[in-house]
C-alpha cells in the first residue's frame, strides 16, 4: 500500500530547530558556553513561546497536532485514503483494557511529581489484569498521554531549551540564572519553586526527567552525568542495573547493519 506523509511547517528542518538540535549536541559534549548561547538564541529569537499553564494538558491531549511550543515534530505517515498507518501510539498507546501497547511509566517516575504538578495529569492510569507469581491480579499501569491517538514524534520543543540553558548556566558558574530557568518550567507546571541553589545539578536532572519523560532523553542524561542505572520497579530484564562506568553504556550496533556490512566490528560486550 502506498503511503504519504501529512507534512506541515513544524515537520521541516529550519534555522530555529537546527539551532535547537545544535544546543543539544553542545550539551552532550559538555561545551557549556555554546550550549547556553544556542539555547538562549532559540528561546529569545525563535518566536516560539512556552505552552501556557492554562492549556498545557489540552495541548498534549490534541489528537493530531503537536503542542504549541513544538520546534520539530516528525510527521505521521498516512495511506492513500488518508488513514494514519503508524504513530507513537503504536508504542505508548492505550485503547481498551485488552488493546494497549508495551510501555508505561514506572511508579518511581510518577511519584516524582507533586500532587499539584499539572504534569501528573499527563498519565492515564488503568488497572489491568496481570499474572504475578502465577496468580492473576489487578495492577495499575500509567500510560503517558503524550502519545495517544495520532501522535507524531516530538523531536524538539522549547521546554528542552530552558533546561539546556539552565544546565549550561550552572556549569558556567551562574547558578542564579539556572535556578530561574528551572523555576520557569516548574511555575508553568504549577509545581513548587526552588528557593535556593543547593543540589541544583540533581534538581536539573530530575526536572529533565519529569518534563521530558518519554521523549528519549533519560538514558543519555544518565550516561552524560555518570549515574548508575537502577531499574527496581517491575523490571523483568536479565540485567536491571548498571554501575557507571560500564561498556553497556555504549549501545550495540544493530544486527541489520552488521549483517549488511560484515566489516563492521560490534561494540565491546555484545
Amino acid at each position: 500500500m502506498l503511503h504519504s506523509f501529512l507534512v506541515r511547517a513544524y515537520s521541516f528542518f529550519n534555522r530555529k530547530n537546527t539551532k535547537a538540535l545544535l544546543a543539544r549536541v553542545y550539551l552532550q559534549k559538555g561545551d557549556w558556553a555554546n550550549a547556553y548561547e544556542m539555547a538562549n538564541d532559540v528561546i529569545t529569537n525563535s518566536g516560539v513561546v512556552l505552552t501556557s499553564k492554562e492549556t498545557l494538558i489540552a495541548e498534549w491531549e490534541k489528537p493530531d497536532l503537536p503542542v504549541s511550543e513544538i520546534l520539530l515534530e516528525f510527521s505521521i505517515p498516512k495511506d492513500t485514503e488518508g488513514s494514519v498507518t503508524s504513530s507513537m501510539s503504536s508504542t505508548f498507546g492505550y485503547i481498551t483494557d485488552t488493546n494497549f501497547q508495551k510501555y508505561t511509566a514506572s511508579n518511581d517516575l510518577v511519584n516524582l511529581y507533586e500532587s499539584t504538578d499539572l504534569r501528573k495529569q499527563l498519565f492515564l492510569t488503568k488497572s489491568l489484569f496481570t499474572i504475578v507469581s502465577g496468580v492473576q491480579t489487578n495492577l495499575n499501569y500509567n500510560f503517558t498521554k503524550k502519545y495517544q491517538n495520532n501522535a507524531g514524534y516530538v523531536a524538539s520543543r522549547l521546554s528542552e531549551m530552558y533546561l539546556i540553558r539552565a544546565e549550561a548556566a550552572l556549569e558556567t558558574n551562574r547558578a542564579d540564572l539556572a535556578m530561574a530557568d528551572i523555576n520557569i518550567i516548574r511555575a508553568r507546571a504549577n509545581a513548587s519553586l526552588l528557593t535556593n541553589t543547593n543540589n541544583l545539578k540533581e534538581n536539573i536532572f530530575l526536572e529533565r526527567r519529569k518534563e521530558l519523560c518519554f521523549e528519549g532523553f533519560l538514558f543519555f542524561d544518565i550516561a552524560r552525568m555518570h549515574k548508575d542505572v537502577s531499574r527496581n520497579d517491575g523490571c523483568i530484564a536479565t540485567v536491571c542495573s548498571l554501575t557507571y562506568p560500564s561498556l553497556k553504556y555504549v549501545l550495540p550496533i544493530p544486527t541489520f547493519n552488521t549483517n549488511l556490512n560484515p566489516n563492521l566490528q560490534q561494540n565491546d560486550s555484545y
Side-chain angles (χ1 to χ4, degrees):
M1 179 178 290
L2 294 176
H3 293 79
S4 62
F5 286 86
L6 181 62
V7 181
R8 297 185 172 121
Y10 53 75
S11 295
F12 290 99
F13 282 95
N14 54 40
R15 183 181 295 271
K16 64 187 178 186
N17 57 41
T18 301
K19 286 183 176 180
L21 292 174
L22 185 56
R24 187 186 299 172
V25 171
Y26 285 137
L27 176 80
Q28 193 68 31
K29 290 176 60 181
D31 185 342
W32 305 115
N34 279 318
Y36 186 96
E37 181 182 349
M38 283 295 105
N40 184 65
D41 190 332
V42 176
I43 292 168
T44 306
N45 301 316
S46 69
V48 178
V49 297
L50 286 175
T51 299
S52 70
K53 175 191 295 188
E54 293 73 21
T55 63
L56 181 63
I57 305 303
E59 284 286 325
W60 279 112
E61 291 179 339
K62 291 186 299 188
D64 293 294
L65 298 174
V67 291
S68 60
E69 65 182 53
I70 200 70
L71 296 167
L72 179 64
E73 179 179 280
F74 295 133
S75 298
I76 53 176
K78 292 193 171 186
D79 62 26
T80 52
E81 297 177 350
S83 298
V84 173
T85 57
S86 66
S87 76
M88 293 296 289
S89 63
S90 63
T91 301
F92 299 105
Y94 168 89
I95 299 174
T96 70
D97 284 0
T98 57
N99 186 1
F100 50 85
Q101 302 305 323
K102 297 179 180 178
Y103 296 99
T104 61
S106 59
N107 289 324
D108 67 310
L109 169 60
V110 176
N111 291 338
L112 288 177
Y113 299 91
E114 300 167 274
S115 60
T116 59
D117 195 321
L118 294 174
R119 295 169 297 189
K120 201 177 183 80
Q121 299 178 33
L122 289 174
F123 296 101
L124 180 66
T125 303
K126 292 293 180 179
S127 181
L128 303 175
F129 284 123
T130 306
I131 302 297
V132 179
S133 300
V135 178
Q136 184 171 280
T137 186
N138 278 61
L139 290 181
N140 284 340
Y141 292 86
N142 298 295
F143 294 86
T144 177
K145 290 185 180 179
K146 288 184 175 181
Y147 301 118
Q148 302 300 315
N149 302 305
N150 297 329
Y153 173 70
V154 177
S156 182
R157 60 187 180 93
L158 195 65
S159 295
E160 182 197 356
M161 297 300 104
Y162 279 90
L163 295 168
I164 289 176
R165 191 171 72 173
E167 189 171 344
L170 177 63
E171 295 291 348
T172 51
N173 301 312
R174 293 175 286 179
D176 288 347
L177 293 180
M179 186 174 72
D181 273 342
I182 293 300
N183 279 340
I184 287 173
I185 299 299
R186 292 178 68 87
R188 192 266 299 269
N190 203 41
S192 61
L193 303 184
L194 302 179
T195 57
N196 60 68
T197 58
N198 297 337
N199 301 316
L200 195 52
K201 187 165 187 176
E202 182 65 14
N203 280 323
I204 289 173
F205 172 79
L206 293 175
E207 205 61 41
R208 286 180 63 88
R209 189 175 180 199
K210 289 184 288 184
E211 178 66 22
L212 303 174
C213 64
F214 294 99
E215 296 178 49
F217 293 98
L218 179 59
F219 175 75
F220 299 101
D221 286 347
I222 287 172
R224 179 167 56 81
M225 296 184 179
H226 298 178
K227 290 178 171 288
D228 298 337
V229 173
S230 179
R231 297 185 293 172
N232 55 13
D233 181 11
C235 178
I236 59 173
T238 303
V239 177
C240 291
S241 299
L242 292 174
T243 301
Y244 189 91
S246 166
L247 293 174
K248 297 296 185 184
Y249 279 72
V250 177
L251 299 177
I253 300 172
T255 303
F256 173 83
N257 297 91
T258 54
N259 289 342
L260 192 66
N261 182 357
N263 293 318
L264 285 176
Q265 184 174 348
Q266 183 58 269
N267 292 327
D268 291 341
S269 84
Y270 295 102

